[in-house]
Structures are given as C-alpha cells and as structure tokens.
Amino acid sequence: MTAFSRALNKALDGSELSRGDLVALLSAEGEEVGRLHAAAEQATLRVFGGEVHLRAVIEFSNHCVRNCLYCGLRAGNRSLVRYRMSEDEVLEAAGRAASLGYRTVVLQSGEDPWYTADRLCRIVGAIKARHDVAVTLCVGERPKEEYAALRTAGADRFLLKHETADPELYAALHPGTSLAERLKCLRWLRECGYQVGSGNIVGLPGQTVETLADDILLMRELQVEMAGIGPFIPHESTPLGGHPRGSLELTLNVLAAARLAMPDCMLPATTAVGTVHPRGRQMALRAGANVVMPNVTPTRFREKYEIYPGKICIGEDAGECRGCVEALIRSVGRRVSDGYGHSPRWNVPAEAA
Ligand code: SAM
Ligand code: SF4
Ligand code: FES
C-alpha cells in the first residue's frame, strides 16, 4: 500500500494523522487528488450536513503599521491610497450585512492603531445591540487587555493567521516580530474566550510540504475553531512581487488534509482561492471548506484594500455578492445556513446566545 493510501485509511478510520501522514496527503497527485478531496468533502458533510456558513466582511481600514513582506497593505507600500471608514460608515455596512441576512459580520483591517480598543469596542457594542449577528474581529496583534475588552464588548471570534509554522520563515517574512509573538497572541485570544481562527498561506518562498504539514499540526494543537488557508498571490509593490503565486492544487490539498485532521474546524473557501481560479471557491467547497466570506465593504473603498492584485468582487456591491455566493453554494449541492455558524465545539456563554 502506498503512503498516501495508508494515510487516507487512517483519516477514514478517525485515527490521528502523523506528520508523515500529512506529508503523504499533501503530496497527493493524479487519481489520489480526487480520493483526497472526496474524503474531505464527506468528512465535512458528516459534521456540518450540507450547510455552508456565510461571513460578511467589512474591510474598514487599509492603514497598517506592519511590513509583512507579502502584503500590499504593508506600511512600506507608498503607492497605496489609504482610507479609514468612519464609525458610522462601518455601522452602516454592518446594517446592510444584517439586512441581507448575514448572521456574522467580520471587521477586518490592517494593524491600525488609530482604531483604538475604545473605538472598536464602541463599534462592536453598537453592532451587537442593533443586529442579531455574531462579530468576528481580524485586526492583528494587540495587547491582551484590548483583546479582553473587545471580547467583553461582544466580539465572538477573532482571526489571526499564524501564516507559517516555520519560525525562521516567519521571522524572515515579518520584520521585527516572531512566530512566538504570534502564538502568544493566539494564546491570549483563547484565554479571553474567543472562538479562535488561525490559518496559513500556501506557496511562500522556502516553504515545503513538511512546513505545510507543520501548519496543520500547529492548528490542531491549538484546537483552532477556524482556519483560513489560501494561496500566496504576489503583489508587485512588495518585496515578494517577483515570487511565483501559490499553486491552487497544493492549496486544495492543504485544505482537504486540514479537514481530515480537524473535522469540526470552520474552513473558508477563501477569497484568495477564488482569485487564483474563477471556480476556486467551488473547488474548495468540494475539498473540505464549509464557509464563504463575501465582501460587504462599500464599493468605493474596495479596490484600495489591495492585499494582492486581481482580488474578486471589486466592482460588485454587497447585494450582488450575496446573490452570487448563494448560487455558488447551490451549484455544489449545498445550502446557506441560517444560523450564526458558531463552532460546534464552542459553548456559547449565556450573554452571547
Ligand atoms: N492585518 C491583519 C492581520 O495580518 O492579521 C488582518 C488583515 S490581513 C490583510 C489578512 C490576511 O491577508 C493575512 O492574514 C494574510 O494571510 C493575508 N495576505 C496578505 N497578503 C497576502 C498575499 N499577498 N497573498 C495571500 N494572502 C495574503
Ligand atoms: Fe498589515 Fe496584516 Fe498586511 Fe501584515 S498581513 S502588512 S499586518 S494588513
Ligand atoms: Fe462577489 Fe461573487 S461573491 S461577485
């Protein structure tokens, strides 16, 4: 029996996958790929039925003090026109998301200190008071007290991707910081009672299948409730502008292996996977994903949130994206959930229920 078949059988038995097993799954090629994706899709359907959860993303500021080598929002990118949505504009976008039937709003930005914890708490509190939605934050590294205050203000979840589990590669890609710092923040988020999301980029320079297996092992160890897994897409105004984009095939293998290793984890069909292939999100849903994250940022800001070029949905407004994702989900035989889409493992505290 091949290493791939052995690893897949272990996954189907529910046995814990080792690093070697994950490497074998990630290296799937030819007919193995279909078997890997089918097993991941089955695992998804077993835990979540056919339900796909939607998260409405508001990209409220593209200011960033960091300099991640891969990202178009990095402080060093002087060619980007910067914007900040006002508090009222964010609340209006959240209201639009709620009126379109979304049950989760994701507030995402660069690391922007102008948006102090007080300002963010005010926004989170107002969204929770006005709308029946869960709130996810994706605003980067902050002191533990700020994470705690935001949780108290009503935020349910927090996304902070570890990006890569290789400490040397992490340090090379993130000037002035370390993987240990990132992991410290992830631990704080756990201690504050969030549903915690992490995730990694596929196709970074110097990355190997072993590193990608370590990404999955790290997320399993952290027991993350969500994992954002997407391909690297080069941006010409960054130091990695000349590096090739991450492979769609490898990204889908990572997603499928992550599903088999973490059956009840929320796994989005990312915007990045939809950017590298017109049917990328449908493919991801057939390979273990169970979440889609449509954009509800007002269209006038969208092209300025240029993490990478060619991002989908730049011209469409929130209503168009709502209809589009619904059709996309139906086209792969699934349906949109009308629940909040909390992690099946999360014990919702009484005040947040
Ligand atoms: N600033 C926050 C942070 O870094 O956690 C949140 C916003 S950041 C733009 C969201 C995610 O974008 C990052 O976690 C990173 O994985 C992803 N990203 C940035 N540049 C990318 C690129 N060139 N290709 C693929 N993903 C990228
Ligand atoms: Fe800033 Fe996040 Fe981009 Fe890094 S990935 S430069 S922290 S927006
Ligand atoms: Fe935005 Fe399809 S989700 S146009």
Side-chain angles (χ1 to χ4, degrees), residues 286-299:
R286 305 280 333 255
N290 71 318
V291 171
V292 182
M293 302 179 71
N295 203 329
V296 293
T297 311
T299 30

Side-chain angles (χ1 to χ4, degrees), residues 64 66 68 70-73 108-111 138-141 158-163 182 199-201 228 230-235 238 272 305 307-309:
C64 190
R66 299 252 176 201
C68 308
Y70 43 79
C71 179
L73 306 194
Q108 191 185 103
S109 67
E111 284 198 17
C138 181
V139 298
E141 297 184 17
F158 203 108
L159 298 178
L160 188 73
K161 290 170 69 175
H162 71 276
E163 316 291 2
R182 199 70 164 180
N200 63 295
I201 304 181
F232 164 71
I233 302 173
H235 186 303
T238 68
Y305 201 81
I307 305 173
Y308 45 73

Side-chain angles (χ1 to χ4, degrees), residues 96-107:
R96 175 104 168 98
S99 70
L100 286 167
Y102 289 112
R103 306 298 302 278
T104 293
V105 169
V106 181
L107 301 178

Side-chain angles (χ1 to χ4, degrees), residues 148-204:
L150 288 160
R151 175 83 184 105
T152 305
D156 303 275
R157 316 186 187 121
F158 203 108
L159 298 178
L160 188 73
K161 290 170 69 175
H162 71 276
E163 316 291 2
T164 174
D166 174 339
E168 281 169 23
L169 181 56
Y170 189 97
L173 294 174
H174 303 96
T177 183
S178 65
L179 181 60
E181 281 295 311
R182 199 70 164 180
L183 296 180
K184 186 173 73 186
C185 288
L186 284 163
R187 203 167 49 245
W188 286 343
L189 291 167
R190 173 67 71 215
E191 288 164 6
C192 291
Y194 287 94
Q195 294 173 65
V196 178
S198 192
N200 63 295
I201 304 181
V202 179
L204 293 167

Side-chain angles (χ1 to χ4, degrees), residues 210-221:
E210 285 77 17
T211 315
L212 290 166
D214 290 340
D215 285 320
I216 297 174
L217 292 174
L218 173 62
M219 293 191 285
R220 188 173 71 187
E221 188 187 316

Side-chain angles (χ1 to χ4, degrees), residues 281 294-295 302 312-313 316-317 320-322 324-325 328:
R281 288 178 297 176
N295 203 329
R302 284 198 195 186
I312 51 173
C313 308
E316 287 80 5
D317 89 338
E320 287 173 86
C321 287
R322 183 71 172 81
C324 172
V325 287
L328 178 161

